[in-house]
Amino acid sequence: MDGLDLIKTFREVAFRRSFSRAAISLGMSKATVSRYVAELEDRSGVRLLNRSTRSLSLTDAGQVLLDRSTELVAMAENTLNDLQAHGAHPRGRLRMSAPHGLIAGWLSDVIADFIKRYPDVYVSLVFTNSAIDLIEEGIDIHLTGGRIDDMNLIVRRLVQFEMVVCASPSYWAQRGMPQVPEDLSRHDVLSYSAAPTTHLRFEAGGEGYEVPVHSRMEANDAVALIELALRGAGVAYVPEPLAQSHLERGALVPVLRDHMPHDHWLYAAYSQRRHNSAAMRAMLDFLEQSVASNGGGLPVLPPAVPVAPLTCALSRPSGIARASASVGRSAS
């Protein structure tokens, strides 16, 4: 077995802290992954992993190999990508990461169409709502709605989307609807913050500002917050496309429309150190074409769990606007 393949298998086990999870990620059997790591240990003459029935950890030698092999693996993959880029047909493995909520509709359509058109490309998709190191995790394209400050990344703006403050009709009927953002201080907010108190962003006169609110609970997934808001647990501040189907049928009611910021984007980011393969370029084009075919907007996602709308005077608000969007490119 080629030494580079052994090292790549070891790195996957080290990142996953599990032979089973590494096997799933690599599309191999657990026995094969274990055999590759054992062969690497035999060749190097040192133990790389501490194994027990309940845990797996790196030895000192394993940590050294993990640290020093990062550049080696990146160089090898970039070289292979360069060779593949000379071909007209995309091929090879394309590793992507994206927020959990995108798989509910739009991204599933993109991936399904992409792998049908390019059968020689193997797509590996990782879902995360956290910041990640693209080089360390071996990610080719990272989709995120959050701000990207890493100057080593090239960033493409895919689509602009609106945020929405919303809650169920029963919640507003019980607690009252806020007229200005500061009124949210007396409400239970479902937020992304890990702290009991957080801040939400709003605009007034074109200037952005933050309002401190009480966080009733926190989660790292907007879809989870929407599901809790549907059940009257509190007020959600989430991307509007994720909640649009619930807004349209009155299961969630929006407030503070005139105070929402307009600078939220879905980005596609990739590292300057990972050369553009034909597969990566094809996927980036696919993403942009999908947004353009939807009129420049992020498609509305279907509700994850059917929840019957609650009936009260607020259950059918008028004039609910769809999320606005535009397509553009930028590099930073």
Side-chain angles (χ1 to χ4, degrees), residues 116-211:
K116 288 176 184 176
R117 180 174 299 185
Y118 300 110
D120 294 330
V121 178
Y122 178 85
V123 177
S124 177
L125 194 55
V126 177
F127 291 102
T128 177
N129 291 334
S130 303
I132 60 174
D133 186 322
L134 271 63
I135 291 294
E136 191 68 22
E137 297 290 339
I139 299 296
D140 296 300
I141 300 174
H142 177 52
L143 301 180
T144 179
R147 180 177 175 178
I148 301 176
D149 297 319
D150 190 341
M151 298 302 294
N152 293 317
L153 299 181
I154 299 173
V155 179
R156 287 196 190 186
R157 286 181 172 179
L158 291 178
V159 58
Q160 190 175 13
F161 60 90
E162 301 290 339
M163 299 294 289
V164 65
V165 175
C166 58
S168 68
S170 62
Y171 178 90
W172 292 135
Q174 180 182 7
R175 302 290 295 272
M177 300 180 75
Q179 302 303 308
V180 295
E182 288 74 12
D183 289 343
L184 287 174
S185 62
R186 58 183 173 83
H187 286 272
D188 295 331
V189 174
L190 310 172
S191 70
Y192 292 102
S193 175
T197 302
T198 186
H199 293 74
L200 299 181
R201 292 183 61 244
F202 294 96
E203 281 188 4
E207 297 293 329
Y209 68 102
E210 293 186 341
V211 172

XYZ file of all heavy atoms in Angstrom, residues 116-211:
760
model
N -25.158 13.727 -10.952
C -25.718 13.121 -12.161
C -24.942 13.599 -13.393
O -24.678 12.815 -14.309
C -27.189 13.496 -12.310
C -28.104 12.797 -11.305
C -29.540 13.296 -11.456
C -30.447 12.673 -10.402
N -31.836 13.220 -10.490
N -24.579 14.866 -13.409
C -23.863 15.402 -14.567
C -22.401 14.975 -14.574
O -21.818 14.772 -15.652
C -23.953 16.930 -14.581
C -23.222 17.562 -15.768
C -23.436 19.047 -15.858
N -24.840 19.408 -16.048
C -25.268 20.656 -16.250
N -24.383 21.652 -16.289
N -26.547 20.897 -16.404
N -21.791 14.837 -13.397
C -20.373 14.490 -13.315
C -20.201 13.190 -12.520
O -19.855 13.204 -11.341
C -19.583 15.620 -12.656
C -19.675 16.925 -13.396
C -20.386 18.004 -12.865
C -19.050 17.096 -14.632
C -20.477 19.215 -13.544
C -19.138 18.297 -15.317
C -19.849 19.344 -14.763
O -19.933 20.536 -15.447
N -20.432 12.052 -13.145
C -20.362 10.771 -12.436
C -18.962 10.407 -11.949
O -18.819 9.508 -11.118
C -20.867 9.771 -13.481
C -20.606 10.423 -14.801
C -20.800 11.887 -14.569
N -17.918 11.088 -12.450
C -16.561 10.779 -12.022
C -16.126 11.589 -10.802
O -14.985 11.474 -10.359
C -15.573 11.026 -13.168
C -15.785 10.075 -14.329
O -16.231 8.935 -14.067
O -15.519 10.452 -15.479
N -17.014 12.427 -10.295
C -16.710 13.213 -9.094
C -17.387 12.567 -7.893
O -18.576 12.267 -7.924
C -17.188 14.673 -9.230
C -16.909 15.451 -7.936
C -16.492 15.351 -10.396
N -16.605 12.355 -6.841
C -17.135 11.824 -5.585
C -17.262 12.977 -4.601
O -16.269 13.612 -4.244
C -16.203 10.750 -5.023
C -16.657 10.171 -3.703
C -17.566 9.126 -3.653
C -16.179 10.685 -2.503
C -17.983 8.597 -2.440
C -16.594 10.167 -1.287
C -17.487 9.124 -1.265
O -17.910 8.599 -0.074
N -18.487 13.287 -4.175
C -18.735 14.415 -3.276
C -18.815 13.919 -1.837
O -19.591 13.008 -1.524
C -20.036 15.154 -3.643
C -20.301 16.284 -2.652
C -19.956 15.700 -5.062
N -18.013 14.504 -0.984
C -18.047 14.212 0.456
C -18.553 15.466 1.158
O -17.921 16.517 1.101
C -16.646 13.854 0.964
O -16.649 13.648 2.359
N -19.719 15.354 1.812
C -20.392 16.513 2.387
C -20.387 16.431 3.909
O -20.811 15.432 4.491
C -21.831 16.569 1.863
C -22.627 17.857 2.059
C -21.896 19.052 1.471
C -24.001 17.711 1.410
N -19.896 17.501 4.545
C -19.831 17.586 6.003
C -20.716 18.735 6.455
O -20.634 19.841 5.910
C -18.383 17.832 6.485
C -18.332 17.991 7.996
C -17.476 16.697 6.042
N -21.573 18.493 7.447
C -22.453 19.542 7.949
C -21.957 20.083 9.276
O -21.676 19.323 10.206
C -23.887 19.017 8.103
C -24.536 18.731 6.791
C -24.644 17.440 6.325
C -25.000 19.761 5.989
C -25.221 17.169 5.099
C -25.571 19.505 4.758
C -25.686 18.211 4.312
N -21.826 21.394 9.339
C -21.379 22.042 10.563
C -21.871 23.473 10.583
O -21.964 24.120 9.537
C -19.847 22.009 10.688
O -19.447 22.711 11.866
C -19.182 22.680 9.486
N -22.173 23.972 11.765
C -22.535 25.378 11.944
C -21.410 26.130 12.646
O -21.598 27.255 13.098
C -23.823 25.498 12.763
C -25.031 24.997 11.979
O -25.033 25.019 10.760
N -26.041 24.530 12.675
N -20.254 25.509 12.765
C -19.119 26.099 13.466
C -18.029 26.484 12.475
O -17.965 25.967 11.356
C -18.553 25.105 14.494
O -19.548 24.692 15.405
N -17.161 27.395 12.902
C -16.008 27.765 12.089
C -15.044 26.579 12.029
O -14.842 25.882 13.022
C -15.310 28.983 12.694
N -14.478 26.324 10.858
C -13.562 25.203 10.706
C -12.319 25.654 9.963
O -12.312 26.671 9.269
C -14.218 24.031 9.945
C -14.645 24.465 8.535
C -15.397 23.477 10.721
C -15.164 23.327 7.698
N -11.246 24.880 10.110
C -9.997 25.105 9.391
C -10.059 24.285 8.109
O -9.982 23.055 8.147
C -8.815 24.679 10.259
C -7.471 25.030 9.631
O -7.339 24.910 8.400
O -6.549 25.417 10.374
N -10.212 24.954 6.965
C -10.404 24.245 5.709
C -9.207 23.367 5.359
O -9.373 22.250 4.862
C -10.665 25.238 4.566
C -12.131 25.619 4.320
C -12.704 26.342 5.536
C -12.277 26.476 3.079
N -7.985 23.857 5.627
C -6.793 23.080 5.313
C -6.706 21.860 6.220
O -6.485 20.736 5.770
C -5.527 23.942 5.466
C -5.478 25.011 4.360
C -4.275 23.064 5.399
C -5.304 24.455 2.977
N -6.895 22.078 7.519
C -6.778 20.990 8.490
C -7.828 19.911 8.249
O -7.556 18.718 8.387
C -6.916 21.546 9.909
C -6.552 20.560 11.017
C -5.073 20.223 11.059
O -4.259 21.023 10.542
O -4.732 19.158 11.602
N -9.043 20.321 7.863
C -10.127 19.368 7.653
C -10.197 18.853 6.217
O -11.016 17.990 5.905
C -11.474 20.015 8.012
C -11.606 20.422 9.461
C -11.712 19.228 10.386
O -12.083 18.136 9.906
O -11.409 19.368 11.579
N -9.354 19.397 5.350
C -9.354 18.943 3.968
C -10.591 19.343 3.187
O -11.059 18.605 2.314
N -11.147 20.529 3.497
C -12.367 21.002 2.847
C -12.015 21.796 1.589
O -11.187 22.710 1.628
C -13.193 21.881 3.802
C -13.604 21.086 5.038
C -14.409 22.448 3.090
C -14.519 19.920 4.764
N -12.652 21.462 0.486
C -12.440 22.189 -0.764
C -13.320 23.433 -0.844
O -12.850 24.505 -1.234
C -12.737 21.277 -1.965
C -11.786 20.096 -2.032
O -10.572 20.332 -2.131
O -12.255 18.954 -1.974
N -14.607 23.302 -0.512
C -15.547 24.425 -0.562
C -16.341 24.448 0.736
O -16.913 23.430 1.140
C -16.524 24.306 -1.751
C -15.762 24.282 -3.080
C -17.525 25.463 -1.742
C -16.663 24.031 -4.293
N -16.375 25.606 1.376
C -17.110 25.773 2.629
C -18.231 26.778 2.410
O -17.995 27.926 2.024
C -16.164 26.276 3.724
C -16.837 26.559 5.030
N -17.642 25.644 5.670
C -16.819 27.670 5.825
C -18.087 26.163 6.803
N -17.610 27.390 6.914
N -19.477 26.347 2.624
C -20.625 27.235 2.526
C -20.983 27.732 3.918
O -21.093 26.937 4.858
C -21.827 26.507 1.920
C -21.642 25.917 0.521
C -22.922 25.231 0.069
C -21.239 26.998 -0.467
N -21.175 29.027 4.065
C -21.484 29.582 5.376
C -22.255 30.881 5.240
O -22.088 31.612 4.256
C -20.202 29.832 6.189
O -20.531 30.407 7.457
C -19.260 30.779 5.447
N -23.089 31.154 6.211
C -23.801 32.421 6.255
C -23.145 33.390 7.210
O -23.622 34.510 7.385
N -22.066 32.967 7.820
C -21.371 33.808 8.783
C -20.244 34.606 8.161
O -19.813 34.345 7.028
N -19.774 35.562 8.903
C -18.683 36.410 8.436
C -17.388 35.610 8.360
O -17.105 34.772 9.215
C -18.513 37.587 9.401
C -17.391 38.547 9.029
C -17.356 39.714 9.988
N -16.219 40.593 9.728
C -15.969 41.716 10.400
N -16.789 42.084 11.367
N -14.924 42.446 10.097
N -16.576 35.852 7.316
C -15.313 35.146 7.117
C -14.182 36.162 7.189
O -14.087 37.068 6.361
C -15.298 34.425 5.759
C -16.465 33.427 5.691
C -13.975 33.709 5.557
C -16.585 32.747 4.352
N -13.323 36.014 8.185
C -12.222 36.961 8.387
C -10.860 36.390 7.986
O -9.858 37.092 8.037
C -12.165 37.395 9.853
C -13.414 38.152 10.285
O -13.900 38.978 9.492
O -13.900 37.914 11.406
N -10.804 35.129 7.612
C -9.543 34.482 7.267
C -9.044 35.007 5.922
O -9.636 34.749 4.881
C -9.746 32.965 7.219
C -8.436 32.198 7.115
O -7.416 32.805 6.718
O -8.425 30.993 7.429
N -7.929 35.709 5.937
C -7.384 36.313 4.722
C -6.782 35.272 3.779
O -6.451 35.573 2.634
C -6.327 37.361 5.079
C -6.867 38.524 5.894
S -8.219 39.394 5.031
C -7.336 40.077 3.629
N -6.620 34.027 4.263
C -6.091 32.967 3.410
C -7.164 32.319 2.552
O -6.866 31.427 1.765
C -5.413 31.888 4.274
C -4.161 32.402 4.954
O -3.355 33.093 4.341
N -4.003 32.080 6.226
N -8.406 32.759 2.721
C -9.508 32.173 1.981
C -9.986 33.099 0.867
O -9.988 34.316 1.019
C -10.686 31.863 2.906
C -10.435 30.875 4.047
C -11.708 30.663 4.849
C -9.918 29.551 3.516
N -10.375 32.510 -0.237
C -11.046 33.235 -1.307
C -12.542 33.069 -1.085
O -13.025 31.960 -0.860
C -10.647 32.683 -2.682
C -9.139 32.833 -2.895
C -11.404 33.401 -3.797
C -8.628 32.168 -4.155
N -13.272 34.170 -1.133
C -14.692 34.154 -0.771
C -15.533 34.618 -1.958
O -15.266 35.666 -2.550
C -14.958 35.055 0.454
C -16.442 35.048 0.805
C -14.123 34.610 1.645
N -16.539 33.850 -2.280
C -17.516 34.239 -3.299
C -18.860 34.484 -2.615
O -19.338 33.649 -1.850
C -17.699 33.138 -4.339
C -16.566 32.952 -5.309
C -17.039 32.127 -6.489
N -15.940 31.725 -7.351
C -16.115 31.101 -8.512
N -17.349 30.822 -8.940
N -15.084 30.743 -9.244
N -19.456 35.616 -2.906
C -20.823 35.862 -2.460
C -21.768 35.125 -3.396
O -21.773 35.363 -4.602
C -21.139 37.353 -2.484
C -20.492 38.152 -1.361
C -20.895 39.609 -1.486
N -20.453 40.386 -0.339
C -20.654 41.684 -0.209
N -21.301 42.343 -1.164
N -20.229 42.324 0.859
N -22.592 34.256 -2.828
C -23.543 33.505 -3.646
C -24.908 34.173 -3.687
O -25.474 34.369 -4.748
C -23.692 32.074 -3.104
C -22.483 31.155 -3.262
C -22.786 29.794 -2.638
C -22.106 30.990 -4.729
N -25.448 34.502 -2.521
C -26.801 35.045 -2.475
C -27.004 35.827 -1.186
O -26.536 35.432 -0.120
C -27.846 33.911 -2.587
C -27.680 32.882 -1.501
C -29.260 34.470 -2.582
N -27.685 36.961 -1.306
C -28.041 37.764 -0.142
C -29.384 37.283 0.389
O -30.271 36.922 -0.380
C -28.125 39.241 -0.514
C -28.249 40.180 0.683
C -28.205 41.645 0.257
O -28.317 41.948 -0.925
N -28.045 42.524 1.213
N -29.518 37.242 1.700
C -30.782 36.817 2.287
C -31.134 37.708 3.470
O -30.271 38.369 4.056
C -30.731 35.343 2.730
C -29.679 35.046 3.770
C -29.963 35.132 5.130
C -28.398 34.664 3.400
C -29.016 34.859 6.088
C -27.423 34.384 4.349
C -27.737 34.487 5.696
N -32.409 37.726 3.801
C -32.899 38.523 4.917
C -32.964 37.690 6.195
O -33.156 36.468 6.147
C -34.303 39.068 4.617
C -34.398 39.949 3.382
C -33.712 41.284 3.556
O -33.510 41.694 4.718
O -33.387 41.908 2.542
N -32.813 38.355 7.315
C -33.084 37.750 8.610
C -34.503 38.128 9.030
O -35.064 39.116 8.548
C -32.082 38.234 9.655
C -30.636 37.891 9.352
S -30.284 36.120 9.378
C -30.411 35.783 11.150
N -35.082 37.334 9.909
C -36.436 37.616 10.371
C -36.537 37.334 11.864
O -35.923 36.397 12.370
C -37.477 36.776 9.591
C -37.307 35.280 9.855
C -38.899 37.212 9.928
N -37.274 38.195 12.564
C -37.638 37.955 13.960
C -39.068 37.450 13.952
O -39.963 38.119 13.429
C -37.526 39.241 14.802
C -38.026 38.985 16.229
C -36.080 39.731 14.836
N -39.300 36.280 14.513
C -40.631 35.699 14.425
C -40.937 34.810 15.631
O -40.030 34.373 16.347
C -40.775 34.886 13.133
S -39.565 33.552 12.966
N -42.209 34.573 15.823
C -42.680 33.681 16.880
C -44.048 33.162 16.472
O -44.647 33.633 15.495
C -42.750 34.401 18.224
N -44.564 32.205 17.211
C -45.868 31.648 16.910
C -46.970 32.640 17.281
O -46.775 33.510 18.146
C -46.070 30.344 17.678
O -46.163 30.607 19.071
N -48.137 32.552 16.646
C -49.255 33.425 17.008
C -49.620 33.323 18.491
O -49.958 34.328 19.114
C -50.395 32.926 16.117
C -49.708 32.312 14.947
C -48.463 31.683 15.488
N -49.563 32.109 19.047
C -49.928 31.945 20.455
C -48.942 32.660 21.374
O -49.332 33.231 22.392
C -49.998 30.457 20.817
O -48.731 29.836 20.649
N -47.653 32.659 20.987
C -46.659 33.361 21.806
C -46.924 34.857 21.784
O -46.925 35.520 22.835
C -45.245 33.063 21.318
C -44.186 33.820 22.103
C -43.611 33.271 23.237
C -43.808 35.110 21.723
C -42.665 33.974 23.977
C -42.862 35.819 22.450
C -42.302 35.250 23.579
O -41.382 35.960 24.321
N -47.131 35.437 20.581
C -47.392 36.880 20.496
C -48.685 37.243 21.225
O -48.759 38.299 21.869
C -47.495 37.328 19.046
C -46.232 37.273 18.233
C -46.098 36.794 16.968
C -44.923 37.745 18.601
N -44.801 36.921 16.512
C -44.054 37.509 17.503
C -44.391 38.331 19.749
C -42.706 37.836 17.525
C -43.044 38.666 19.771
C -42.214 38.414 18.678
N -49.699 36.392 21.136
C -50.956 36.682 21.817
C -50.774 36.728 23.333
O -51.420 37.518 24.030
C -51.998 35.620 21.449
N -49.872 35.903 23.834
C -49.642 35.841 25.273
C -48.698 36.937 25.755
O -48.912 37.525 26.828
C -49.066 34.476 25.647
C -48.785 34.308 27.142
C -48.169 32.955 27.451
O -47.836 32.187 26.550
N -48.019 32.652 28.724
N -47.674 37.246 24.963
C -46.614 38.152 25.430
C -46.671 39.539 24.801
O -45.977 40.452 25.270
C -45.245 37.516 25.145
C -45.054 36.148 25.789
C -44.937 36.238 27.298
N -43.735 36.951 27.648
C -42.538 36.360 27.800
N -42.444 35.036 27.656
N -41.473 37.062 28.124
N -47.446 39.716 23.739
C -47.489 41.006 23.069
C -46.415 41.123 22.008
O -45.318 40.570 22.145
N -46.711 41.870 20.935
C -45.770 42.010 19.830
C -44.894 43.246 20.029
O -45.398 44.331 20.310
C -46.525 42.114 18.502
C -47.386 40.903 18.207
S -48.289 41.036 16.638
C -46.966 40.728 15.478
N -43.583 43.127 19.893
C -42.687 44.278 20.054
C -42.885 45.290 18.932
O -43.070 44.918 17.772
C -41.295 43.651 20.008
C -41.473 42.396 19.228
C -42.847 41.894 19.555
N -42.822 46.568 19.277
C -42.948 47.639 18.288
C -41.585 48.171 17.851
O -41.439 48.671 16.735
C -43.794 48.778 18.878
C -45.185 48.342 19.313
C -45.979 47.704 18.186
O -46.097 48.278 17.101
N -46.528 46.517 18.441
N -40.602 48.069 18.726
C -39.227 48.474 18.425
C -38.309 47.367 18.948
O -38.697 46.595 19.837
C -38.860 49.828 19.072
C -39.686 50.947 18.470
C -39.046 49.762 20.576
N -37.081 47.250 18.401
C -36.188 46.177 18.832
C -35.961 46.128 20.336
O -35.832 45.041 20.916
C -34.892 46.494 18.083
C -35.346 47.172 16.833
C -36.523 48.008 17.262
N -35.924 47.301 20.990
C -35.664 47.329 22.424
C -36.754 46.601 23.221
O -36.504 46.143 24.348
C -35.543 48.770 22.902
C -34.257 49.481 22.476
C -34.243 49.872 21.001
O -35.327 49.808 20.344
O -33.173 50.239 20.492
N -37.939 46.453 22.645
C -39.017 45.737 23.329
C -38.703 44.254 23.508
O -39.316 43.579 24.342
C -40.324 45.864 22.539
C -40.897 47.276 22.603
O -40.475 48.045 23.484
O -41.763 47.594 21.746
N -37.743 43.738 22.739
C -37.393 42.322 22.855
C -36.745 41.990 24.199
O -36.622 40.813 24.555
C -36.443 41.913 21.722
C -37.065 41.785 20.332
C -35.984 41.517 19.291
C -38.113 40.682 20.299
N -36.329 42.995 24.939
C -35.702 42.745 26.243
C -36.647 42.055 27.218
O -36.211 41.415 28.170
C -35.200 44.063 26.838
O -36.292 44.947 27.063
N -37.966 42.169 26.984
C -38.932 41.523 27.877
C -39.463 40.203 27.300
O -40.404 39.629 27.827
C -40.106 42.475 28.143
C -40.859 42.935 26.906
C -41.964 43.936 27.245
N -42.584 44.493 26.058
C -43.546 43.915 25.358
N -44.006 42.735 25.743
N -44.058 44.503 24.288
N -38.798 39.722 26.245
C -39.230 38.470 25.619
C -38.197 37.369 25.813
O -37.032 37.627 26.125
C -39.474 38.690 24.122
C -40.729 39.441 23.819
N -41.948 38.822 23.649
C -40.949 40.781 23.670
C -42.864 39.731 23.396
N -42.286 40.938 23.398
N -38.633 36.126 25.610
C -37.742 34.966 25.639
C -37.216 34.731 24.231
O -37.989 34.405 23.319
C -38.491 33.718 26.122
C -38.944 33.838 27.564
O -38.261 34.546 28.333
O -39.963 33.222 27.921
N -35.919 34.907 24.059
C -35.307 34.799 22.736
C -34.607 33.447 22.593
O -33.903 32.998 23.494
C -34.302 35.945 22.503
C -33.556 35.754 21.186
C -35.023 37.289 22.495
N -34.821 32.812 21.463
C -34.136 31.569 21.117
C -32.936 31.953 20.260
O -33.104 32.426 19.137
C -35.079 30.645 20.342
C -36.448 30.420 20.992
C -37.372 29.661 20.044
C -36.308 29.683 22.306
N -31.744 31.779 20.757
C -30.580 32.377 20.115
C -29.468 31.375 19.858
O -29.499 30.232 20.299
C -30.040 33.513 20.987
O -29.446 32.978 22.158
N -28.443 31.847 19.124
C -27.242 31.067 18.866
C -26.217 31.213 19.977
O -25.242 30.482 20.020
C -26.585 31.532 17.556
C -27.372 31.218 16.318
C -28.112 32.197 15.685
C -27.367 29.941 15.786
C -28.833 31.916 14.536
C -28.084 29.648 14.638
C -28.810 30.644 14.021
O -29.529 30.357 12.886
N -26.428 32.142 20.866
C -25.439 32.435 21.887
C -25.366 31.341 22.933
O -26.374 30.771 23.344
C -25.779 33.766 22.570
O -24.896 34.005 23.634
N -24.147 31.047 23.393
C -23.964 30.056 24.459
C -24.105 30.698 25.829
O -24.101 30.008 26.846
C -22.596 29.397 24.329
N -24.205 32.029 25.876
C -24.341 32.744 27.138
C -25.812 33.028 27.420
O -26.632 33.064 26.510
C -23.562 34.064 27.080
N -26.188 33.240 28.697
C -27.581 33.500 29.026
C -28.097 34.824 28.487
O -29.289 35.018 28.345
C -27.588 33.479 30.561
C -26.180 33.765 30.953
C -25.334 33.155 29.882
N -27.201 35.757 28.175
C -27.589 37.035 27.597
C -26.815 37.233 26.306
O -25.630 36.965 26.234
C -27.282 38.197 28.555
O -27.968 37.982 29.768
C -27.721 39.515 27.942
N -27.500 37.709 25.275
C -26.832 37.905 23.993
C -27.310 39.210 23.378
O -28.047 39.975 23.991
C -27.118 36.720 23.055
O -26.336 36.871 21.872
C -28.598 36.634 22.713
N -26.867 39.484 22.156
C -27.239 40.700 21.444
C -27.733 40.342 20.047
O -27.208 39.427 19.414
C -26.037 41.649 21.330
C -25.590 42.218 22.643
N -24.911 41.472 23.589
C -25.743 43.460 23.169
C -24.648 42.233 24.645
N -25.139 43.432 24.411
N -28.724 41.070 19.574
C -29.233 40.901 18.222
C -28.984 42.173 17.426
O -29.070 43.275 17.954
C -30.740 40.602 18.246
C -31.162 39.327 18.976
C -32.670 39.150 18.886
C -30.453 38.110 18.420
N -28.699 42.011 16.135
C -28.362 43.138 15.280
C -29.605 43.673 14.569
O -30.419 42.919 14.038
C -27.314 42.735 14.244
C -25.959 42.433 14.830
C -24.936 42.099 13.743
N -24.757 43.213 12.819
C -25.066 43.166 11.526
N -25.585 42.076 10.999
N -24.859 44.211 10.743
N -29.707 45.027 14.563
C -30.802 45.710 13.869
C -30.230 46.936 13.160
O -29.035 47.251 13.281
C -31.901 46.115 14.853
C -32.618 44.947 15.468
C -32.242 44.451 16.712
C -33.674 44.340 14.804
C -32.897 43.365 17.279
C -34.341 43.252 15.360
C -33.949 42.769 16.600
N -31.099 47.630 12.412
C -30.696 48.857 11.720
C -31.680 49.972 12.008
O -32.876 49.722 12.202
C -30.630 48.626 10.204
C -29.388 47.932 9.723
C -29.297 47.905 8.208
O -30.188 48.501 7.551
O -28.369 47.287 7.669
N -31.169 51.198 12.024
C -32.005 52.394 12.148
C -31.324 53.504 11.352
O -30.157 53.835 11.614
C -32.163 52.805 13.613
N -32.039 54.062 10.365
C -31.453 55.118 9.548
C -30.231 54.677 8.784
O -29.326 55.471 8.525
N -30.183 53.391 8.419
C -29.042 52.874 7.673
C -27.846 52.517 8.525
O -26.837 52.042 8.001
N -27.937 52.728 9.820
C -26.839 52.416 10.730
C -27.179 51.173 11.554
O -28.284 51.043 12.083
C -26.561 53.597 11.679
C -26.098 54.855 10.969
C -24.721 54.685 10.343
O -23.909 53.910 10.910
O -24.459 55.307 9.298
N -26.232 50.267 11.669
C -26.440 49.063 12.436
C -26.188 49.276 13.920
O -25.352 50.104 14.305
N -26.903 48.572 14.743
C -26.675 48.611 16.186
C -27.150 47.305 16.802
O -27.838 46.500 16.150
C -27.398 49.803 16.826
C -28.909 49.727 16.817
C -29.626 49.366 17.963
C -29.631 50.035 15.658
C -31.011 49.304 17.942
C -31.017 49.975 15.636
C -31.703 49.609 16.779
O -33.073 49.543 16.765
N -26.763 47.049 18.043
C -27.104 45.810 18.717
C -28.009 46.066 19.914
O -27.870 47.088 20.597
C -25.837 45.082 19.183
C -24.977 44.573 18.035
C -23.823 43.731 18.528
O -23.479 43.847 19.728
O -23.269 42.939 17.731
N -28.921 45.131 20.134
C -29.865 45.230 21.241
C -29.649 44.037 22.174
O -29.705 42.884 21.717
C -31.319 45.227 20.729
C -32.301 45.137 21.898
C -31.589 46.464 19.887
